[in-house]
Amino acid sequence: MDVWIAVGVTAAGCYLAKLLGLSVPTGVLERPLVRRLAALLPVALLAALTAQQTFGGDGGALVVDARAAGVAAAAVALLLRAPFLVVVAAAVLVTAGVRALG
């Protein structure tokens, strides 16, 4: 029963967040600061999630495994100015290769 309560609360929260976003006046959304934050915030959150999932360990210990090699491959591809799909493919292939070797 607790799971369904959590699902219901989450669904209601998502609906309210969407409703709140739709009720923001257009003038607020056109401000330069708001536009810049809207462009940069998803990138920062995705980077934080990637770092946490890659290097987050058990009990506070740093864990470096095949995912770290994939992130390094993606970083190299980004430095070489590869397209996004190539960056993702490089990360996937290197991660899979390291896991297959280990």
Side-chain angles (χ1 to χ4, degrees):
M1 186 65 178
D2 291 338
V3 173
W4 287 110
I5 293 172
V7 169
V9 169
T10 302
C14 289
Y15 178 77
L16 290 174
K18 181 74 170 180
L19 185 63
L20 180 66
L22 292 173
S23 65
V24 174
T26 306
V28 173
L29 298 176
E30 293 177 357
R31 294 180 183 168
L33 177 64
V34 173
R35 285 181 178 253
R36 192 172 27 193
L37 285 175
L40 295 177
L41 191 61
V43 175
L45 290 173
L46 184 58
L49 177 63
T50 301
Q52 193 275 332
Q53 289 293 315
T54 300
F55 301 110
D58 296 327
L62 178 67
V63 175
V64 178
D65 58 5
R67 293 176 289 189
V71 170
V76 169
L78 284 172
L79 289 174
L80 295 174
R81 302 209 183 270
F84 178 72
L85 290 177
V86 174
V87 172
V88 172
V92 168
L93 291 172
V94 169
T95 302
V98 170
R99 285 184 178 169
L101 293 174

